[in-house]
Amino acid sequence: MDRAAAGAVAAAIPFLAIVFYVATRAMPPLAGYLFGLAVYWFMVLTPLILWRCGFRAVRHELAWPHFVLIMLNVIPIGGVAVAAFIGWHNHPLNAAVLGAVVAAALINGTLEEVFWRGTLLRNAQHLASYLSQIALFVSWHIALLFAGGVVVTGGALGLFGGALIGGILWTWARVQTGSIGFGILCHIGLNLFAFTELATNNPI
């Protein structure tokens, strides 16, 4: 694992917690939440990616893993999709919010996989590296708990549990295929429904 990048992102977690805390209280909660994510994407992930290896050094080929891993990814995505459908039925989103949801899903799913499973693990060959990366990925979600006024289905358990499941599945896909392409697709798919459900429960 890239220890310098891991140390930098770990140091950024308290900073991100402060950003989410302040932003969700200085503006409408959902808008503050999106602002916090944007800070995470463009002030933490992107600089770290460029510093450590750059986007060109990360393999993006779409190599399909075995059937079992594909099905294991379908289950959580399907579950979150059902929750999003229920939320949408109760509170349909307008075009502007839906556009923000789609953009957030695309940016977050891509940048997170490029950093967490690409930049951090570009030379990883040991189980300890994979486990450390998953633990760090789950730990970064602590910052999201500092967002005020934002309703997250399942609370902290849902947040950390989802991050753990996703971290394991996408790391497994990275190890099996040697690329992050499949993980990017699954991460975007999960985010699309998760952010839709978040937006339906937290209107601006």
Side-chain angles (χ1 to χ4, degrees), residues 9-200:
V9 78
I13 292 174
F15 163 72
L16 291 168
I18 293 171
V19 169
F20 278 98
Y21 182 89
V22 173
T24 53
R25 288 161 177 81
M27 56 184 76
L30 185 58
Y33 195 88
L34 289 174
F35 175 81
L37 286 177
V39 170
Y40 166 60
W41 299 330
F42 302 118
M43 292 182 64
V44 177
L45 294 188
T46 299
L48 288 179
I49 291 166
L50 294 174
W51 171 48
R52 299 312 296 170
C53 64
F55 286 93
R56 292 182 182 179
V58 179
R59 297 180 63 190
H60 291 272
E61 301 89 43
L62 181 56
W64 292 97
H66 60 64
F67 180 76
V68 172
L69 185 52
I70 293 173
M71 289 297 98
L72 287 175
N73 274 277
V74 167
I75 293 170
I77 293 173
V80 177
V82 171
F85 176 79
I86 293 171
W88 181 286
H89 181 73
N90 295 327
H91 302 284
L93 303 179
N94 61 42
V97 175
L98 184 58
V101 164
V102 172
L106 289 170
I107 294 170
N108 192 70
T110 301
L111 279 182
E112 286 211 311
E113 289 309 303
V114 169
F115 177 73
W116 291 104
R117 260 64 70 177
T119 302
L120 278 187
L121 294 181
R122 68 183 190 276
N123 296 318
Q125 296 180 346
H126 304 290
L127 179 61
S129 295
Y130 301 128
L131 295 178
S132 298
Q133 175 268 140
I134 292 169
L136 194 55
F137 175 66
V138 174
S139 297
W140 114 253
H141 289 76
I142 293 171
L144 298 176
L145 296 180
F146 286 80
V150 177
V151 177
V152 178
T153 301
L157 182 61
L159 186 65
F160 293 131
L164 178 61
I165 292 170
I168 291 172
L169 290 176
W170 303 326
T171 299
W172 184 6
R174 161 70 168 77
V175 172
Q176 186 181 102
T177 65
S179 76
I180 58 172
F182 180 74
I184 288 175
L185 282 183
C186 293
H187 203 148
I188 289 173
L190 186 67
N191 280 173
L192 182 61
F193 295 119
F195 290 166
T196 297
E197 197 265 347
L198 186 71
T200 58

